[in-house]
Amino acid sequence: QVQLVESGGGLVQPGGSLRLSCAASGNIFSINDMGWYRQAPGKERELVASVTRGGTTKYADSVKGRFTISRDNAKNTVYLQMNSLKPEDTAVYYCNGFITRVLMGSNNYWGRGTQVTVSS
């Protein structure tokens, strides 16, 4: 089985920074694309940032210039550095990975989320 566990969320003031981490474990053969999603109360889950196995990144327009996604393939970990946080960034942030398991095909896996609250 594959597990993704997020960490690093919390309460921060506007303009502050947080660094989220997502560690994958289990019978992993390879991790392909990975991404961070977020879901605010009453809204649909949206893609915040993604990174391919080769390091190509994409960002939602709302976070460009403020957030940076990165990965450490040796540690099976993806990060989201969030700077200049705004109240509208408040959401539960979820890690997603398109992962190939040993002797099995590929599938999408989700972490259980970590709460980020930006408030004065």
Side-chain angles (χ1 to χ4, degrees):
Q1 189 57 260
V2 172
Q3 298 283 332
L4 274 65
V5 180
E6 302 97 335
S7 62
L11 175 64
V12 64
Q13 295 183 348
S17 298
L18 285 173
R19 179 178 167 90
L20 305 183
S21 299
C22 172
S25 61
N27 59 331
I28 298 170
F29 178 75
S30 66
I31 301 178
N32 302 303
D33 294 355
M34 300 194 75
W36 286 96
Y37 293 73
R38 68 186 181 188
Q39 187 167 21
K43 296 184 178 180
E44 296 295 320
R45 188 174 299 184
E46 64 174 345
L47 177 65
V48 176
S50 65
V51 57
T52 68
R53 183 171 58 85
T56 301
T57 59
K58 293 182 179 180
Y59 297 92
D61 288 341
S62 59
V63 306
K64 286 182 179 178
R66 300 189 298 120
F67 291 10
T68 302
I69 188 171
S70 61
R71 62 191 292 170
D72 186 333
N73 291 333
K75 296 181 178 180
N76 287 339
T77 300
V78 63
Y79 306 93
L80 186 68
Q81 179 67 47
M82 305 185 295
N83 298 326
S84 302
L85 283 162
K86 304 175 180 179
E88 51 263 43
D89 295 319
T90 297
V92 177
Y93 283 71
Y94 297 91
C95 175
N96 173 267
F98 188 69
I99 298 172
T100 301
R101 296 173 64 188
V102 175
L103 299 180
M104 295 184 179
S106 301
N107 203 358
N108 282 305
Y109 294 88
W110 291 92
R112 293 187 177 184
T114 184
Q115 177 70 48
V116 172
T117 302
V118 185
S119 179
S120 299

